[in-house]
Amino acid sequence: EIVMTQSPATLSVSPGERATLSCRASQSVSSNLAWYQQKPGQAPRLLIYGASTRATGIPARFSGSGSGTEFTLTISSLQSEDFAVYYCQQYNNWPPATFGQGTKVEIK
Amino acid sequence: EVQLVQSGAEVKKPGESLKISCKGSGYSFTSYWIGWVRQMPGKGLEWMGIIYPGDSDTRYSPSFQGQVTISADKSISTAYLQWSSLKASDTAMYYCVRLPGYSGYDYLDYWGQGTLVTVSS
């Protein structure tokens, strides 16, 4: 089973600042990596797939990069609605298609 | 508009059985994999397994194999997750999800609203 490790666990950022979230895979997952956002009391929603492709309706301030074992989600200028928990997920090797443990982006 | 609508919250006792549902609409239900994801209270996401409603091909995470059963009724565009004997540790939110690709090796593009299952004596 591929282990996905996200860092940091919590990221404190001021509105308008840039946020950089990391996700590392225990072995290569090529570009088969997705990012999801989950707000309290809501289901997760897809942000990025294929490591760098934004899902439909996702603002351009969200961008993904990386391949192999190292991936990054960048939020260029944090808006109030972006404070949430973010998960990465690999879908290259399964079962299971594993998730990272999440990064909580909170208001500084 | 693609929608996955799940059944309502459940409160059960240990040892009881349960079947929760997920109805898909707005797309061809038999042409996309449907999966289930568990989220225990205050915890992260765990991929449980998937089913292809077109032919009922089903795949489980090793952690959930034998613990749950995933099924689908394509005549009513509904997928199911069931337990034969619940444990307190099954208390969690369960999400159904759609996978956009043909192979099943894919991300999760649509999510249901979640079904909260509480197991307590």
Side-chain angles (χ1 to χ4, degrees):
Chain A
E1 174 175 321
I2 295 179
V3 177
M4 307 300 292
T5 303
Q6 292 186 240
S7 61
T10 303
L11 186 61
S12 298
V13 185
S14 299
E17 288 188 341
R18 182 186 195 90
T20 302
L21 289 66
S22 295
C23 175
R24 174 177 292 177
S26 60
Q27 64 188 77
S28 176
V29 299
S30 186
S31 294
N32 295 313
L33 191 285
W35 291 93
Y36 303 88
Q37 176 194 65
Q38 186 177 33
K39 297 179 183 180
Q42 295 186 17
R45 72 162 174 164
L46 176 67
L47 294 177
I48 300 283
Y49 62 92
S52 60
T53 302
R54 277 190 304 279
T56 303
I58 301 304
R61 64 180 181 272
F62 290 92
S63 63
S65 63
S67 66
T69 62
E70 300 282 345
F71 301 88
T72 300
L73 175 69
T74 301
I75 312 170
S76 60
S77 177
L78 270 156
Q79 307 298 302
S80 57
E81 62 267 30
D82 301 335
F83 292 95
V85 179
Y86 293 83
Y87 295 94
C88 63
Q89 181 220 359
Q90 69 82 18
Y91 50 93
N92 190 67
N93 287 47
W94 63 267
T98 43
F99 293 92
Q101 80 280 17
T103 291
K104 181 180 181 180
V105 177
E106 64 176 24
I107 299 174
K108 187 174 183 179
Chain B
E1 178 193 8
V2 173
Q3 284 194 307
L4 298 174
V5 178
Q6 299 184 229
S7 50
E10 301 274 1
V11 179
K12 292 288 190 180
K13 290 182 166 47
E16 292 186 332
S17 63
L18 176 64
K19 191 173 190 178
I20 62 175
S21 66
C22 169
K23 183 172 177 63
S25 63
Y27 72 99
S28 174
F29 185 75
T30 55
S31 301
Y32 292 83
W33 292 82
I34 288 280
W36 290 92
V37 173
R38 183 175 79 173
Q39 187 168 39
M40 299 177 77
K43 302 298 185 183
L45 306 171
E46 300 172 271
W47 190 94
M48 300 177 71
I50 57 174
I51 187 166
Y52 190 75
D55 62 8
S56 294
D57 184 7
T58 309
R59 304 171 191 184
Y60 294 92
S61 163
S63 299
F64 292 94
Q65 179 85 48
Q67 307 305 307
V68 297
T69 301
I70 295 171
S71 61
D73 184 342
K74 60 186 179 183
S75 69
I76 54 172
S77 301
T78 301
Y80 301 96
L81 178 65
Q82 69 180 85
W83 297 259
S84 59
S85 181
L86 286 160
K87 301 184 282 286
S89 57
D90 292 318
T91 294
M93 181 72 80
Y94 294 88
Y95 294 102
C96 71
V97 293
R98 193 187 81 159
L99 288 74
Y102 175 77
S103 71
Y105 287 76
D106 230 326
Y107 52 94
L108 314 173
D109 63 351
Y110 286 92
W111 295 64
Q113 83 277 19
T115 296
L116 180 62
V117 174
T118 303
V119 183
S120 174
S121 54

